[in-house]
Amino acid sequence: MSKDWIVNEETGDRVDWVDCDFTHLATPGVVGLTPYHPGKPIGELKRELGLDDIIKLASNENPLGPGAKALEALKQLPDLGRYPDGGGFSLRAKLAHHHGMRPDMVTLGNGSNDILELITRTFVAPGDEVIYSDHAFAVYALASQAVGAKSVVIPATEDYGHYLRAMARAVTERTKVMFVANPNNPTGSWSTAAELRDLLESVPDHVIVVIDEAYFEYAENVADYPNAAIWVSEIANLVVTRTFSKAHGLAGLRIGYGLSHPQLAELLNRIRQPFNVNTLAQLAAEEALNDSEHMARSVALNNSGMQQLTTGFDSLGIHYLPSLGNFICIDMEQPAHSIYDQLLRRGVIVRPIDNYGMPNHLRVSIGLEEENTRFLKTLAEVLGN
Ligand SMILES: *Cc1c(COP(=O)(O)O)cnc(C)c1O
């Protein structure tokens, strides 16, 4: 592999790399992976189409962004020449207090994605099984396949929810981890307290059950929606993950956490990068945790936006999946990709979810009132209504 460059004969300039196949060098898990497709960034669409007036309802961010308290803390610029507190002492203490547990039950992550990955890297060897639902959050597949796991994907219920009983039945001696998203992204579906307790009681101790509560704050006031974090103190093989990326409005800072038995946390800690959560993220998260006013405003905005969008869908005759998150999945009853493209051309970014096995659906994040209005109007236009 020495002749790495195609060179322009006349000028001697390097023009491009010579093709070089590295896949035979990669681990089997990586060879089988398809990269995660994030929502299209606003800047990218600007570059591609030269549009200026763009709205992005594609990554389930809080349209209000960070709260005033977090922003204030960020303005007091800490000493960025120093490494962050690798143990996250202050934030973990606050989170422990918030959840009524011990700090050694809290693992900080560079986003909760980081925690999901720490879990598979800690517990799953090549050939081990990881169970999750069809249409579940894409990172479960990525984190599992990257370590060479066998993904056991359980068909969803008719309404795209997790079929927990079937997930429990799929457990074998080789099962190491089970991922449950509550509510799930992209479907918005959720499981009740009774259903989850039932699952936890029927899954044997050698399976780590991860309940991913990335949208907890949006859902917590819904009757029957459980707070699985309170079960962590009694169920040793349960990990609950939360994030500051969604309702807390700090997606750009990358911070989330896991709650678990301290000895499980200690194992995750062994492979956690020593400084996985940066200084600014730790500071802002502490403040966000205390900013109940911003949280209340964010949740209220989401509730009214949900109402606005579902009313709009009803009047357009579009079916949608009931959602406890800050997003809704709509059924276009035809391959949705061309609708996605036409929305893009009009400066509206939503999320196609064919990679989730739902080619006829689009996922739209709930935005500010005027963004929702523009989305509904543009969608109506595209559909010729
Ligand atoms: C957004 C999301 C996450 C969290 O991502 P971060 O890494 O914390 O930004 C986790 N799980 C689900 C289901 C999500 O939708």
Side-chain angles (χ1 to χ4, degrees), residues 121-140:
R121 286 173 54 219
T122 301
F123 294 104
V124 184
D128 286 344
E129 293 168 5
V130 176
I131 298 175
Y132 49 86
S133 174
D134 204 8
H135 317 304
F137 186 45
V139 169
Y140 309 151

Side-chain angles (χ1 to χ4, degrees), residues 247-317:
H248 286 291
L250 298 177
L253 283 175
R254 310 306 301 125
I255 178 161
Y257 59 98
L259 301 168
S260 70
H261 191 287
Q263 283 165 299
L264 194 156
E266 191 274 327
L267 284 171
L268 301 182
N269 239 329
R270 294 185 192 186
I271 54 164
R272 185 180 61 81
Q273 287 180 33
F275 305 107
N276 64 331
V277 180
N278 71 73
T279 307
L280 295 173
Q282 291 188 34
L283 268 181
E286 278 189 41
E287 293 305 317
L289 203 56
N290 285 330
D291 199 342
S292 47
E293 207 179 299
H294 184 62
M295 181 56 72
R297 217 151 57 88
S298 303
V299 172
L301 181 74
N302 194 61
N303 289 340
S304 61
M306 179 73 80
Q307 190 64 49
Q308 183 191 1
L309 284 180
T310 52
T311 305
F313 296 143
D314 286 340
S315 69
L316 289 169

Side-chain angles (χ1 to χ4, degrees), residues 36 58-60 113 133-140 160 162 180-190 212 214-215 246 323 325-329 351 353 356 358 363-365:
Y36 182 82
S59 298
N60 301 347
N113 275 358
S133 174
D134 204 8
H135 317 304
F137 186 45
V139 169
Y140 309 151
Y160 295 90
H162 285 20
V180 176
N182 203 36
N184 182 41
N185 166 21
T187 59
S189 59
W190 72 96
D212 176 346
Y215 301 94
K246 306 291 161 57
S323 168
N326 62 345
F327 56 88
I328 316 181
C329 239
R351 191 74 161 266
I353 48 173
Y356 282 92
M358 299 173 73
R363 191 194 70 195
V364 53
S365 307

Side-chain angles (χ1 to χ4, degrees), residues 163-244:
Y163 188 3
L164 295 183
R165 290 245 163 102
M167 290 172 73
R169 279 198 295 269
V171 169
T172 73
E173 303 213 315
R174 297 231 64 175
T175 307
K176 289 305 197 60
V177 172
M178 179 186 292
F179 287 111
V180 176
N182 203 36
N184 182 41
N185 166 21
T187 59
S189 59
W190 72 96
S191 307
T192 64
E195 289 164 342
L196 279 174
R197 290 299 302 212
D198 205 38
L199 174 83
L200 291 166
E201 271 149 39
S202 54
V203 168
D205 293 347
H206 71 271
V207 180
I208 310 290
V209 180
V210 181
I211 301 185
D212 176 346
E213 295 187 333
Y215 301 94
F216 175 82
E217 297 83 358
Y218 292 117
E220 65 178 318
N221 290 322
V222 173
D224 242 14
Y225 174 80
N227 172 0
I230 62 175
W231 300 334
V232 167
S233 299
E234 44 167 319
I235 301 175
N237 59 332
L238 170 64
V239 183
V240 171
T241 57
R242 297 275 184 95
T243 183
F244 286 93

